[in-house]
Amino acid sequence: FLQSASGIIQINEIINNSALGSGGGIFCADSDQLLLFSNLIAGNSANSNGGGILNRKNGQMILTNCTIGNNTATNGGGIYNSATDLTINNSILWGNTDTQNKQILDAFASPSSIEVSFSDVQGGFSGNNIDADPLFTDPNNNDYRVSSESPCIDAGDNTAVLPDFLLDLDGKNRIVNGDCQNQDSVDMGAYEFDWTAFGDFAGGCNVNLEDFMLFASVWLSKEGDLYYNPLYDIYNPNDHVINGFDLGILIDNWLEGN
């Protein structure tokens, strides 16, 4: 809840909240500016306006690399925006619903403006945005990381990522070469896809025997050991030891990739 103030919300999960009135996830009104970076806003509900976010009578709201998914409300399941300048960059807005069948944005009042760029918006939004299933890993269990075939990988705009906000929701580097093409590009959404996190330690954009051999070389090492390497601690959350939890991730992704 933010009213008559300015603020920054970054690297947070705002999930499964409800409001009898408006603003199930975030209620922001009569404020100067609210900046949101690398946040997951999902599974929230409101009986009135703004299942994910209510944004009303503010000077400006900027969302960068946020995922807004599966929120519900009477109006504006994802975001209810009124009399406010709203900017959305490098974000995913998917699976939000309301009784007016306007999944993303609703209730624009003057004066207000909305700019959306390099984002995946269900139902479409003009400009350089896409309307494609982001292929979340397991949204039913609040895992909104994208899978390896997601169209959101490396599809964002690096210039929208400010120097002070270079981490994703997992605390990992915000800009990596997730699609193994020619350059490092930011993803859309709160999480940055990185093949390493799936067991591709050799950097070949696949998970195979070479990666398993590298993994075996650090097996059962823990933080402080000479041959411990946090690169191989791929289980989330990291437990600072290379063990069966990490091996499970590698097995789950065995022979995935190119």
Side-chain angles (χ1 to χ4, degrees), residues 92 120 130 132-134 146 149-156 186-189:
I92 301 173
D120 188 4
I130 64 173
D133 189 336
V146 298
E149 300 299 319
S150 173
C152 299
I153 296 172
D154 281 14
V186 68
D187 293 353
M188 298 173 178

Side-chain angles (χ1 to χ4, degrees), residues 4-256:
S4 301
S6 296
I8 297 173
I9 301 175
Q10 62 171 322
I11 311 182
N12 282 283
E13 291 184 348
I14 302 172
I15 60 175
N16 299 335
N17 300 288
S18 61
L20 294 177
S22 299
I26 294 176
F27 183 105
C28 185
D30 304 308
S31 299
D32 293 329
Q33 186 181 66
L34 179 61
L35 307 178
L36 297 100
F37 296 90
S38 297
N39 296 293
L40 171 64
I41 302 168
N44 304 289
S45 64
N47 286 345
S48 185
N49 304 319
I53 298 174
L54 172 73
N55 185 38
R56 187 182 67 197
K57 296 182 180 179
N58 301 308
Q60 185 181 44
M61 177 180 281
I62 300 175
L63 290 86
T64 303
N65 283 109
C66 290
T67 296
I68 302 174
N70 294 337
N71 301 284
T72 62
T74 301
N75 297 291
I79 302 174
Y80 182 105
N81 188 75
S82 177
T84 301
D85 292 335
L86 174 64
T87 300
I88 301 174
N89 306 307
N90 300 345
S91 294
I92 301 173
L93 298 95
W94 201 267
N96 304 287
T97 58
D98 64 21
T99 58
Q100 305 300 316
N101 197 30
K102 297 178 180 179
Q103 295 101 335
I104 307 304
L105 307 168
D106 196 15
F108 310 123
S110 182
S112 65
S113 67
I114 295 180
E115 297 181 5
V116 183
S117 62
F118 293 95
S119 295
D120 188 4
V121 182
Q122 187 173 11
F125 202 97
S126 61
N128 47 21
N129 302 290
I130 64 173
D131 177 9
D133 189 336
L135 300 178
F136 294 130
T137 300
D138 189 6
N140 291 332
N141 290 303
N142 293 320
D143 187 350
Y144 286 84
R145 298 171 183 84
V146 298
S147 60
S148 61
E149 300 299 319
S150 173
C152 299
I153 296 172
D154 281 14
D157 176 19
N158 288 353
T159 64
V161 183
L162 300 181
D164 291 339
F165 303 100
L166 293 177
L167 298 177
D168 77 346
L169 186 50
D170 281 331
K172 298 178 179 178
N173 289 336
R174 179 77 270 182
I175 301 175
V176 300
N177 190 355
D179 63 1
C180 296
Q181 298 300 315
N182 295 325
Q183 63 182 12
D184 295 349
S185 299
V186 68
D187 293 353
M188 298 173 178
Y191 301 95
E192 195 77 8
F193 180 87
D194 183 354
W195 265 108
T196 301
F198 288 76
D200 176 28
F201 310 118
C205 292
N206 51 26
V207 181
N208 56 25
L209 183 60
E210 184 179 7
D211 302 299
F212 178 78
M213 296 297 289
L214 289 169
F215 181 81
S217 70
V218 297
W219 177 246
L220 295 183
S221 64
K222 60 183 181 298
E223 190 171 26
D225 290 347
L226 181 62
Y227 57 99
Y228 171 80
N229 187 332
L231 180 72
Y232 299 87
D233 191 9
I234 55 177
Y235 183 76
N236 186 58
N238 296 344
D239 54 6
H240 309 289
V241 60
I242 312 303
N243 57 20
F245 292 112
D246 307 296
L247 178 61
I249 301 297
L250 191 149
I251 291 173
D252 287 343
N253 294 284
W254 184 248
L255 298 184
E256 287 287 334

